[in-house]
Amino acid sequence: MSARYAVIGNPIGHTKSPAIHTAFAQATGQNLTYTAIEGKLGGFAAEIDAFRAAGGMGVNITTPFKLDAFAYADRLKPGAQLAGAVNCLNFADGKAEGENFDGLGLTRDIVANLGVALRGKRILLLGAGGAARGALLPFLHEQPEELVIVNRTLAKAIAISEQFASHGTIIATGYEALSGERAGQYDVVVNATSASLHQELPPVPTSVFRSGALAYELLYGKGLTPFLRLAREAGVTRLADGVGMLVEQAAEAFAWWRGIRPDTAGMINQMTVKLA
């Protein structure tokens, strides 16, 4: 009998996860099925209970259920605990263990796939939501020279920097400071806001991009978003969207569930949309 896994979200019709995990299973010789579940808002726990009762061994979680998964988990890995959100659940030992692989997938894509070292570099992270929170611990592990998190609501950025204080220094600021006391240029600028979903642009000046910088958009498959267009107009030539992050976090989940990590290069190449 095939091991059963799934991704849950709402909406879920756009998800690439079944194709990714099915390809991973074929490449690694794993006998599993992977489906998509469109969860009912307010009904996450019931959906997951039913999936587990039917033999489900693990689920990936996407919008808007990452906080529900955090609350559902019996145990939390340190990364999920700090992120305050769960994007993967493992039911292997009868308990629901939660992890967040988003930040690890992002860091691996930047360092391993794009070849951009983070050690000793200046990093600017736009946004203070779940995606940004998930990135902070993996970023700190890379020992950057400076890690700045900027958010429209400064208090939220400050609270996050204080929460992570025992793991490293995070400078919290508002957008207006990027043209004032925090003015400067960064080696890596990551857009972890939801602005691009609405074809909007975070209020970030072009001066934040250092020569040779990487501009990274977490949204994937949408071509040149307003953020990436701004970076290109500022002279940035290293642009990336979140497709590599998507595939890398999927590979981390697969390895956690199955004990074998699939190769990701082919899948990333297959899914990459030209940024134009």
Side-chain angles (χ1 to χ4, degrees), residues 109-110 114 189 214-219 223 225 227-228 237-243 275:
D109 188 38
I110 292 174
L114 300 177
V189 182
L214 168 68
Y216 196 106
E217 169 72 74
L218 292 197
L219 188 67
T225 65
F227 168 73
L228 292 178
T237 58
R238 306 181 80 173
L239 308 176
D241 70 3
V243 65
L275 299 178

Side-chain angles (χ1 to χ4, degrees), residues 57-142:
M57 297 181 66
V59 291
N60 289 124
I61 300 95
T62 189
T63 304
F65 296 122
K66 293 183 182 183
L67 296 182
D68 297 272
F70 183 87
Y72 183 91
D74 299 308
R75 296 191 304 265
L76 293 166
K77 292 283 194 177
Q81 183 73 61
L82 276 170
V86 162
N87 87 327
C88 188
L89 286 167
N90 192 344
F91 312 129
D93 63 355
K95 298 290 185 180
E97 187 168 30
E99 178 60 287
N100 191 314
F101 291 118
D102 286 336
L104 190 59
L106 170 61
T107 303
R108 184 175 178 86
D109 188 38
I110 292 174
V111 176
N113 299 334
L114 300 177
V116 177
L118 298 179
R119 185 179 300 271
K121 299 298 179 63
R122 302 185 73 219
I123 303 172
L124 179 63
L125 184 60
L126 310 179
R133 292 172 65 96
L136 290 173
L137 190 59
F139 276 178
L140 287 172
H141 284 167
E142 294 295 318

